[in-house]
Amino acid sequence: MRILKTLVGAAALAGLMTTTALAADMTVGFSQIGSESGWRAAETTLTKQQAEERGIDLKFADAQQKQENQIKAIRSFIAQGVDAILLAPVVATGWDQVLEEAKEAEIPVVLLDRTIDAPDDLYLTAVTSDLVHEGNVAGQWLADKVGDEQCNVVELQGTTGSSPAIDRKKGFEQAIADHDNIKIVRSQTGDFTRTKGKEVMESFLKAENGGKDICALYAHNDDMAVGAIQAIKEAGLKPGEDILVVSIDAVPDIFQAMANGEANATVELTPNMAGPAFDALEKYKADGTEPPKWIQTESKLYTQADDPMKVYEEKKNLGY
Ligand code: AHR
């Protein structure tokens, strides 16, 4: 029995060493969207950290929000002969051609945090949350919060054409569909940024009786919510009270706002997409194990009842 245990232990160790050795030899290109939000910056930090810890040589390309830059970066990774490519796709469409080229070159592509409209044989796996579900969780929270009260909602959408903007809108609308008292009265893109979130919220406030006709703000990410909170305060209203605020990401600043009573709820999106992505790539490279086409991350709801300052501190230690 002891001999058997030793042999099993040795085999496991050898497997681990092989995987680690292969990882150490891996060169991975990462085409990142940009740095539009606190969440995005944390994802970049964690991807670099994860690569370093695993001995992966990471080639990083910041696309400055432009799909054409992402396509160029992917072509350059292919030309350099990288072992794999991570792609956080800025928009959902227009990837088929360049992903065909990666497939032709036998370079596996892993999608990070956003989905695309393309045949699924063009990528190895996608590490994302259920983006429709996130919108659903936010909408459900609002429906529970307002009960039968009349509630006019303004919506700050993410980047036009991106999968989170499309799906978070869809999920929220599904959640409020059976609640005739809840209505989206204005909806516009704030491009996932704080500056745009503030700017667009200012126009919503002006158009809706200085904000008096708005019951809630639904923002597709926390950064836009933080910008909008500023606009609400400047309009002389109390965010979190006069206008309820629900958003998505769970970045530290939204917990600070919650602790101040200025935001009400957020749905968490982990910025550590690279961990599961590298795990899948390491196994694939070691023995050809095909990961599932979708590696789903969790979507947890946080409210003011969840000790926001404690979560703020925890988040601050996480790469934000
Ligand atoms: O794709 C994920 C989204 O992109 C995040 O929710 C947002 O903050 C980011 O820019």
Side-chain angles (χ1 to χ4, degrees), residues 9 44 47 54 56 71 90 111-112 131 147 162 168 172 210 215 217 222 231 261 290 312:
T44 297
T47 306
R54 294 166 191 250
I56 292 171
I71 292 174
V90 62
L111 304 179
L112 291 193
L131 296 155
S162 69
R168 287 172 183 171
F172 188 86
C215 144
L217 161 72
D222 290 343
E290 291 266 354
Y312 172 88

Side-chain angles (χ1 to χ4, degrees), residues 231-295:
I232 297 170
K233 290 203 278 192
E234 286 172 16
L237 295 171
K238 284 190 185 146
E241 286 180 33
D242 298 328
I243 297 179
L244 300 170
V245 177
V246 56
S247 51
I248 295 169
D249 272 358
V251 302
D253 285 356
I254 207 72
F255 290 100
Q256 181 80 67
M258 275 193 214
N260 297 341
E262 295 176 344
N264 304 85
T266 186
V267 184
E268 184 176 45
L269 176 68
T270 176
N272 183 18
M273 301 278 159
F278 287 144
D279 285 347
L281 277 172
E282 283 166 0
K283 282 198 196 110
Y284 181 69
K285 289 282 172 190
D287 61 9
T289 307
E290 291 266 354
K293 277 289 162 189
W294 183 20
I295 300 175

Side-chain angles (χ1 to χ4, degrees), residues 1-14:
M1 196 57 187
R2 199 179 306 143
I3 294 169
L4 189 64
K5 273 186 188 163
T6 314
L7 284 174
V8 169
L13 187 66

